Amino acid sequence: MALPPPGTLQPKELSPRSKQRMQESTPTGTAELPPSAEPGGRGVCAGRQLRVLLTPLAVAGRRLLPQKRLLGAYGGAAADRAPAGKRLRLERSPPRAAPVSRPTGTDSAWDEESDGSDAGDTPLNGDFELSAYERKRLKNITENAKFFAALQLHESAARLRQMVYKKEAHTTKRAKPKKVEDETVLRRSMRLQRVDPSGIPLSELPAQPEAEEYPKVPAGPLSMIPEDQGGNSKLPDDLLATWMRISEVKAHGTEKLPSDMKRYQDSLTSMVLSEDSIKKVVKYRVCSAAIHPSESIIFVAAGDRCGQIGLWNVSCKAQEEAHVFTAHNDPVNCMEFSPFNPAHLLSVSNGSLRCGDVTRAVFDEIYRTEDEVNLSSFDFLDDNASTAIVGHWDGDVSVVDRRTPGTSPELSANIGFTRTRTVHVHPVNKQYFIAAGSTDVCVYDVRYLTARLNKPVSSLRGHTRSVASAYFSPVTGSRVVTVCADNKLRVYDTTSLSPTITALSTVSHNNNTGRWLTRFRAVWDPKQEHCFVVGSMAHPRQIKVFQDSGKLLHSFSNLDCLGSVCSINVCHPTRNILVGGNGSGRLHVFKE
């Protein structure tokens, strides 16, 4: 059925019978006739469009006729634009009355009088109800409105808009000074305010340089004056007499022979740590240690990171038997009793090499560099300890002769290292020494050293990171043990010094000591050619002894007494004694 153009369709005026039926079914005062049904009314205004719904109506014995359903004079969106007083009011009607029977024989008249307003689910009594679809649609709209109202989107948007508007530019604002009344007034004396009791301000004192915590040690010889003694007091007679007495015995009076491995392992088990064998010898972290070769008493020395040297007579139980001396300005990187004359204790710091002579109670200066931070380690080149090889932090090495007057070296040689941490001389062939640097470990011949770049005799390969130490085995020098920052301990066979040597064995070992601990140095036990000692980061704290094959022989530990990492360790040359130094200046002595 084709619809006429918008604005041309006019609703048909209701018949008197239809009007009567609507009046009878509508309560008084609740129903309004649409404008189109009013007598004499013009119906829909000109130019307004009607919304018509065509719904087929099934009638018994007749074909389906399309019925027109008028939704409103201003239906849909047009209803919102209807003039005031022209809107269609839909009110809920009372319960429907019984359907009105159609008069007999008036089918054609019924169809002619119907204008489509009583179609679909709208009752014949004039109640304008919505269809099922529209009721469902209105229900969905109501539920959605309640849902969005529960989300409070409008309130959140308003708050967000307010936050955006209140946001300020990223500018650094100066803090507002506190009000005077809010501050707590601190009471200060007139002396601190520098005000005279009479009220006259005192004159300002000239600025004075801040006093150094550790006064600089002057160049030249230094008297052996302990820190706990007076300024002009002499070295205690008991310490002087003890050191001189034990130094009269030759350290190498007996030949060192390798002992049986089983007997050696049993001797390690017999060494224990007790409370009276632990003492704070120096004030700060231990950087080096040495043990006197005497067989009568246990006499040890330690050097810390601030240049102090501590001497401790372990055999004496008196507390005052540990004395501290300030011999250097920088960390004591290496120290050793002279193998020829144990009355001499040699120590090296960043700026100087000194010899502590107990017979004269003085620290002599053997070698001083122009650069205050340069020296790293040293070792003796001959049995009488008259010459020494000294390593530099910048990679060079120097040959020093103690018999030559002055503090200058005999030779400074460039070995091609960027850093030299340790140097060690071959125990049999004294002309060879090994140097450990950043990632290089090489053997050189001191007889062919020159000031220019020198070629190594042999290179020990395999290190991927910086090397902390490298030492020959004590009796034959046929082994070299190194400690590397790649968490490996490596042992090399140096029986024949070929140009390139690969590792004989490798041991996985945690060498990550950090900045607050001295780096590990694996040292050989002078009593056993094929065994070395090294500190450990493992818990419980311990000191480990390895065989050159990589086998762990023994671990020194004590849950009650050893609670720290002993980075620096040294073994007695003839007795079953092990000394370990930690980061707080304490020495731990394991003994039988």
Side-chain angles (χ1 to χ4, degrees):
M1 175 179 178
L3 297 176
T8 62
L9 181 62
Q10 298 293 334
K12 184 188 295 186
E13 186 176 357
L14 297 177
S15 63
R17 184 179 299 176
S18 299
K19 293 181 180 180
Q20 182 180 1
R21 287 199 303 268
M22 294 176 62
Q23 291 176 359
E24 292 176 355
S25 62
T26 305
T28 304
T30 59
E32 292 183 7
L33 292 176
S36 60
E38 295 177 0
R42 294 179 55 87
V44 182
C45 298
R48 297 294 183 177
Q49 182 179 359
L50 292 177
R51 294 182 59 194
V52 180
L53 177 65
L54 302 180
T55 306
L57 181 62
V59 181
R62 295 186 58 187
R63 62 182 180 87
L64 295 176
L65 296 178
Q67 298 295 323
K68 293 180 286 184
R69 178 169 177 261
L70 181 62
L71 298 181
Y74 302 93
D80 299 333
R81 300 190 298 271
K86 296 295 184 177
R87 295 179 181 270
L88 178 64
R89 297 195 319 174
L90 298 179
E91 299 184 14
R92 184 178 297 275
S93 62
R96 298 183 182 182
V100 180
S101 61
R102 181 179 301 181
T104 308
T106 60
D107 291 343
S108 59
W110 180 275
D111 295 336
E112 293 176 357
E113 294 174 355
S114 175
D115 60 352
S117 62
D118 297 334
D121 51 4
T122 303
L124 298 178
N125 58 4
D127 187 10
F128 294 92
E129 283 192 13
L130 299 178
S131 64
Y133 168 78
E134 289 177 336
R135 288 198 303 271
K136 184 176 181 181
R137 176 174 174 271
L138 290 178
K139 181 180 179 181
N140 292 340
I141 292 175
T142 304
E143 292 179 353
N144 291 340
K146 292 181 180 179
F147 173 74
F148 284 110
L151 293 180
Q152 298 181 352
L153 296 180
H154 296 287
E155 292 80 354
S156 300
R159 288 195 301 269
L160 180 61
R161 192 178 302 108
Q162 186 179 9
M163 292 171 59
V164 172
Y165 290 159
K166 286 187 177 181
K167 188 176 181 180
E168 299 179 356
H170 295 281
T171 56
T172 303
K173 292 186 178 180
R174 184 174 300 175
K176 295 182 180 179
K178 295 182 179 179
K179 295 183 180 180
V180 178
E181 56 269 19
D182 295 340
E183 294 181 354
T184 303
V185 179
L186 300 178
R187 299 183 59 185
R188 300 178 62 190
S189 64
M190 299 183 69
R191 178 182 63 82
L192 295 178
Q193 298 179 19
R194 302 199 56 75
V195 176
D196 190 79
S198 60
I200 302 175
L202 299 176
S203 59
E204 294 291 337
L205 296 177
Q208 298 180 357
E210 297 182 359
E212 297 181 358
E213 184 178 358
Y214 306 104
K216 290 291 184 180
V217 175
L222 296 175
S223 299
M224 283 188 177
I225 301 177
E227 291 293 325
D228 53 356
Q229 299 295 327
N232 297 323
S233 63
K234 297 182 180 180
L235 187 68
D237 294 338
D238 54 352
L239 180 63
L240 178 63
T242 301
W243 192 352
M244 292 184 61
R245 185 178 69 254
I246 62 178
S247 300
E248 295 175 357
V249 180
K250 296 294 181 179
H252 298 285
T254 58
E255 184 180 359
K256 294 181 294 184
L257 297 175
S259 60
D260 179 71
M261 188 61 63
K262 182 64 172 62
R263 185 182 305 174
Y264 174 73
Q265 199 166 1
D266 294 340
S267 66
L268 295 177
T269 308
S270 63
M271 298 164 59
V272 295
L273 177 66
S274 57
E275 292 184 359
D276 58 352
S277 299
I278 304 173
K279 190 173 185 62
K280 187 176 178 63
V281 177
V282 287
K283 189 174 182 180
Y284 300 103
R285 169 165 48 96
V286 176
C287 297
S288 58
I291 185 168
H292 196 279
S294 172
E295 296 185 0
S296 57
I297 65 174
I298 305 174
F299 191 76
V300 296
D304 69 0
R305 66 176 180 85
C306 291
Q308 292 184 342
I309 295 178
L311 300 177
W312 179 29
N313 184 0
V314 184
S315 301
C316 183
K317 304 302 180 183
Q319 294 293 330
E320 63 271 13
E321 286 305 313
H323 299 279
V324 179
F325 307 87
T326 302
H328 300 276
N329 295 318
D330 308 296
V332 184
N333 301 316
C334 182
M335 62 190 317
E336 187 176 351
F337 285 97
S338 172
F340 180 76
N341 185 4
H344 294 171
L345 175 64
L346 281 82
S347 59
V348 66
S349 69
N350 292 342
S352 63
L353 172 65
R354 291 185 178 272
C355 175
D357 188 355
V358 69
T359 59
R360 297 187 297 117
V362 66
F363 287 103
D364 279 329
E365 191 173 49
I366 300 174
Y367 176 34
R368 171 173 288 275
T369 61
E370 298 179 358
D371 188 358
E372 293 184 357
V373 183
N374 200 8
L375 306 182
S376 61
S377 58
F378 77 96
D379 196 15
F380 301 109
L381 285 171
D382 50 16
D383 293 334
N384 57 8
S386 58
T387 58
I389 185 77
V390 182
H392 295 238
W393 286 116
D394 60 4
D396 293 345
V397 295
S398 298
V399 178
V400 177
D401 194 337
R402 299 174 56 189
R403 299 165 295 186
T404 302
T407 57
S408 300
E410 300 296 321
L411 173 66
S412 292
N414 180 8
I415 60 175
F417 282 17
T418 58
R419 182 177 296 272
T420 302
R421 288 189 171 87
T422 61
V423 291
H424 192 239
V425 178
H426 197 282
V428 178
N429 302 316
K430 296 290 186 179
Q431 70 274 16
Y432 295 119
F433 71 93
I434 188 170
S438 297
T439 57
D440 306 309
V441 179
C442 298
V443 179
Y444 293 88
D445 192 335
V446 69
R447 298 172 299 179
Y448 300 103
L449 288 180
T450 61
R452 296 175 296 177
L453 183 61
N454 294 270
K455 184 178 180 181
V457 176
S458 182
S459 298
L460 281 62
R461 303 295 184 182
H463 304 95
T464 58
R465 300 187 65 182
S466 61
V467 182
S469 64
Y471 296 108
F472 284 109
S473 56
V475 180
T476 63
S478 60
R479 297 287 187 272
V480 169
V481 59
T482 64
V483 178
C484 186
D486 59 3
N487 291 334
K488 292 289 191 300
L489 305 176
R490 294 177 174 87
V491 179
Y492 293 84
D493 185 1
T494 54
T495 304
S496 60
L497 296 177
S498 57
T500 302
I501 304 176
T502 58
L504 178 66
S505 62
T506 302
V507 179
S508 297
H509 188 265
N510 184 5
N511 300 324
N512 186 16
T513 54
R515 60 177 298 184
W516 305 112
L517 297 176
T518 305
R519 298 186 67 176
F520 290 152
R521 300 174 193 169
V523 296
W524 297 95
D525 190 343
K527 301 180 294 296
Q528 178 53 251
E529 170 73 5
H530 300 285
C531 297
F532 60 89
V533 181
V534 66
S536 175
M537 298 291 295
H539 290 275
R541 299 307 186 189
Q542 53 193 273
I543 303 174
K544 296 183 177 181
V545 181
F546 288 94
Q547 200 172 355
D548 57 1
S549 61
K551 178 183 177 181
L552 177 64
L553 292 181
H554 185 71
S555 295
F556 292 98
S557 62
N558 190 315
L559 296 177
D560 298 329
C561 301
L562 183 61
S564 57
V565 177
C566 291
S567 300
I568 301 300
N569 301 279
V570 60
C571 299
H572 195 279
T574 56
R575 296 180 58 183
N576 293 325
I577 298 173
L578 172 66
V579 179
N582 67 1
S584 63
R586 285 181 171 80
L587 294 183
H588 305 75
V589 180
F590 292 84
K591 57 183 180 178
E592 292 180 330

